[in-house]
Amino acid sequence: MDTLVAEIRQKAEDLLSRKVVSMVLGFTRGNLPMVTRPCIVRSPEDADLLWWDDFCVMNLAAFIPPRHEGKIGVFAKRCDLRNLVILNSEKKINLHDDFYIMGIPCHGMLDSEKVRQAVPGNKRIESVTSGKPFIEIMQHGGSQSLERHDMLRESCLTCSQTSPDIVDEWITGPADPEPLPHDSEQSPVIEPDRDAESFDALFSECIRCYACREACPSCYCETCFVDKAGYLWQGPDIPGEKNSLDFHFFRAFHMLGRCTDCGACESACPVHIPVRQLVLHLKRGNAAFQKYEPGLNPSLQPPDACFCPAIHNHRK
């Protein structure tokens, strides 16, 4: 990991010094163990702020500055790359002209909540050292080893590791030396035959903080429908579980065909609701979306964005 961090910092310093980019978007260390946060570096002297470890879970595509001059360098995981393609296809960004993409092969990010629950006695965690197949947890009064696979985020367990061909260069090589333990048959949290009461129970803990919306790179509307004036049936000030469920259903339908299953929404949820599973549930029930993987092909539009005037006129 130290080698990777050194390479990231050196690359950022070089690009900024040669003015290939005007800024670099990556991650920096947080104030607590198992916490990183997005970071924008604008000068070569600040390249040492950049960091990379197994807790870079946020999707950097959600942190693109809305207004900027010059190219933006981005140190991106595969899920970040796919969301950049989505934003480009929806005309929110111009990948070719405004970005310099540096891909970082990802072995899956760790779930900090899983790590906390695996530490007996709720002891304070001081640091986590990555390794394969185990990670080393340093805590107050001792240490312990945990199997890395068991600590992976749920979205990483089902990641196909495929990425779009938009990378200007790869950091540490174009492919993972060891594939992720991909589990395509992993059972969804939301089963196809769930009834209304089951959905109510699943989202009953929602406090409508909208952290899932803020973390999602595809939730970029300047004013969300729940914040519009006049929506008296829905809004942050209206109590009731049904209003929470309505928000999640409306948002899930908006994300259908656009969600890359990066898991940023679940990582941001303070009450650990399996938010991403609702979109997966809708996708499984819609044949048009079952074989479509958002963000893999820069030239391919999602099924609901395709319109053929000839077919439309024929049907009339």
Side-chain angles (χ1 to χ4, degrees), residues 273-284:
I273 294 174
V275 183
R276 53 181 274 272
Q277 293 290 348
L278 186 52
V279 179
L280 295 178
H281 172 73
L282 295 177
K283 180 178 179 179
R284 291 186 180 97

Side-chain angles (χ1 to χ4, degrees), residues 34 115-126 137-144:
M34 302 189 294
V115 175
R116 290 189 188 95
Q117 292 179 358
V119 174
N122 198 27
K123 294 181 179 179
R124 186 178 74 249
I125 295 175
E126 297 177 353
I137 311 297
M138 299 298 297
Q139 57 205 51
H140 185 67
S143 65
Q144 71 177 101

Side-chain angles (χ1 to χ4, degrees), residues 7-24 42-45 47 70-71 73 75 100-102 168-169 171:
E7 188 172 351
I8 288 173
R9 291 173 175 175
Q10 182 179 4
K11 177 58 65 175
E13 182 178 358
D14 176 61
L15 292 175
L16 289 166
S17 297
R18 294 191 291 116
K19 301 189 183 305
V20 176
V21 299
S22 61
M23 66 184 77
V24 171
R42 301 177 186 271
S43 67
E45 294 77 21
K71 281 194 172 185
F75 290 104
Y100 189 90
I101 307 298
M102 295 159 285
D168 292 288
E169 64 175 302
I171 304 298

Side-chain angles (χ1 to χ4, degrees), residues 10-311:
Q10 182 179 4
K11 177 58 65 175
E13 182 178 358
D14 176 61
L15 292 175
L16 289 166
S17 297
R18 294 191 291 116
K19 301 189 183 305
V20 176
V21 299
S22 61
M23 66 184 77
V24 171
L25 175 60
F27 287 93
T28 190
R29 275 179 164 173
N31 296 324
L32 299 171
M34 302 189 294
V35 174
T36 62
R37 56 186 178 86
C39 167
I40 292 179
V41 172
R42 301 177 186 271
S43 67
E45 294 77 21
D46 291 334
D48 286 346
L49 293 174
L50 294 170
W51 179 254
W52 194 271
D53 61 19
D54 285 338
F55 296 97
C56 296
V57 299
M58 301 307 293
N59 195 313
L60 290 182
F63 298 91
I64 302 296
R67 289 172 293 276
H68 59 88
E69 294 182 1
K71 281 194 172 185
I72 302 177
V74 183
F75 290 104
K77 310 182 294 294
R78 284 180 167 87
C79 49
D80 303 334
L81 296 175
R82 290 176 62 178
N83 278 98
L84 288 172
V85 168
I86 294 293
L87 294 177
N88 184 72
S89 67
E90 296 179 347
K91 313 300 183 187
K92 296 298 293 182
I93 62 173
N94 187 322
L95 268 177
H96 178 72
D97 296 334
D98 296 340
F99 289 86
Y100 189 90
I101 307 298
M102 295 159 285
I104 300 184
C106 176
H107 299 276
M109 293 293 160
L110 302 181
D111 188 325
S112 58
E113 186 62 24
K114 285 185 178 181
V115 175
R116 290 189 188 95
Q117 292 179 358
V119 174
N122 198 27
K123 294 181 179 179
R124 186 178 74 249
I125 295 175
E126 297 177 353
S127 66
V128 178
T129 304
S130 299
K132 293 181 180 179
F134 299 98
I135 59 174
E136 189 74 14
I137 311 297
M138 299 298 297
Q139 57 205 51
H140 185 67
S143 65
Q144 71 177 101
S145 295
L146 300 174
E147 191 167 340
R148 190 177 188 279
H149 174 266
D150 295 338
M151 299 297 108
L152 287 176
R153 301 162 68 229
E154 294 301 313
S155 58
C156 294
L157 288 171
T158 56
C159 175
S160 64
Q161 281 195 296
T162 52
S163 62
D165 186 20
I166 62 168
V167 177
D168 292 288
E169 64 175 302
W170 284 92
I171 304 298
T172 72
D176 287 322
E178 298 178 21
L180 279 170
H182 175 57
D183 184 7
S184 60
E185 301 300 323
Q186 180 172 307
S187 300
V189 174
I190 301 179
E191 300 294 346
D193 59 348
R194 276 190 179 269
D195 55 22
E197 291 184 0
S198 299
F199 280 114
D200 288 340
L202 192 65
F203 288 89
S204 62
E205 298 298 319
C206 177
I207 60 176
R208 273 187 289 170
C209 66
Y210 303 126
C212 55
R213 179 185 70 183
E214 300 304 316
C216 178
S218 293
C219 279
Y220 53 70
C221 297
E222 292 187 6
T223 304
C224 180
F225 72 94
V226 297
D227 298 323
K228 289 183 181 292
Y231 273 36
L232 300 180
W233 55 273
Q234 176 67 267
D237 299 326
I238 302 175
E241 293 178 6
K242 183 181 184 301
N243 289 305
S244 298
L245 189 57
D246 284 345
F247 162 73
H248 287 288
F249 264 111
F250 274 98
R251 180 180 175 275
F253 274 109
H254 189 203
M255 296 302 300
L256 189 60
R258 304 168 66 240
C259 175
T260 61
D261 197 29
C262 70
C265 53
E266 285 190 358
S267 296
C269 181
V271 292
H272 313 300
I273 294 174
V275 183
R276 53 181 274 272
Q277 293 290 348
L278 186 52
V279 179
L280 295 178
H281 172 73
L282 295 177
K283 180 178 179 179
R284 291 186 180 97
N286 191 320
F289 291 95
Q290 288 176 4
K291 294 184 179 180
Y292 172 73
E293 292 297 332
L296 287 184
N297 188 341
S299 62
L300 188 64
Q301 293 291 325
D304 63 345
C306 300
F307 176 74
C308 179
I311 296 177

